[in-house]
Amino acid sequence: EHYADPGVGYYVQVECEVDPSLSTPLRLFATEEDAMNFARQHTMQIQRDLMSRGDIPAKAIDIITLDSANYQSDDPDPLSFPI
């Protein structure tokens, strides 16, 4: 999930439903670009970890595209990106 807090920064949390130990805590970034980059990189790392362990076949994993251009900052509910 990710959301903006005006005047503070951008919050990001990556949740892995298959293995919660791979999830990240909510983190604060100064820029939206940094926040989205962290989320993308961590999502890809989770995908690699799950595939290498054989928990999920590669064809079953769908990498989520994080598109902040369509994010509504006035939306009260953070966006969720489950893996």
Side-chain angles (χ1 to χ4, degrees):
E1 66 185 68
H2 80 282
Y3 59 94
D5 188 357
V8 176
Y10 296 84
Y11 291 93
V12 169
Q13 181 176 18
V14 179
E15 296 178 351
C16 179
E17 294 175 356
V18 175
D19 183 351
S21 72
L22 298 175
S23 298
T24 68
L26 189 64
R27 295 176 189 238
L28 175 63
F29 293 88
T31 68
E32 182 178 22
E33 182 180 348
D34 289 342
M36 300 309 287
N37 185 50
F38 170 82
R40 270 189 219 96
Q41 288 181 347
H42 199 76
T43 299
M44 291 186 331
Q45 181 61 47
I46 290 172
Q47 178 191 27
R48 286 190 297 271
D49 288 352
L50 293 176
M51 286 189 316
S52 71
R53 294 188 327 203
D55 288 351
I56 296 179
K59 67 180 182 178
I61 295 178
D62 182 22
I63 287 292
I64 298 162
T65 301
L66 303 175
D67 180 10
S68 62
N70 295 319
Y71 175 70
Q72 299 295 319
S73 62
D74 58 344
D75 185 352
D77 297 329
L79 298 176
S80 180
F81 300 104
I83 294 175

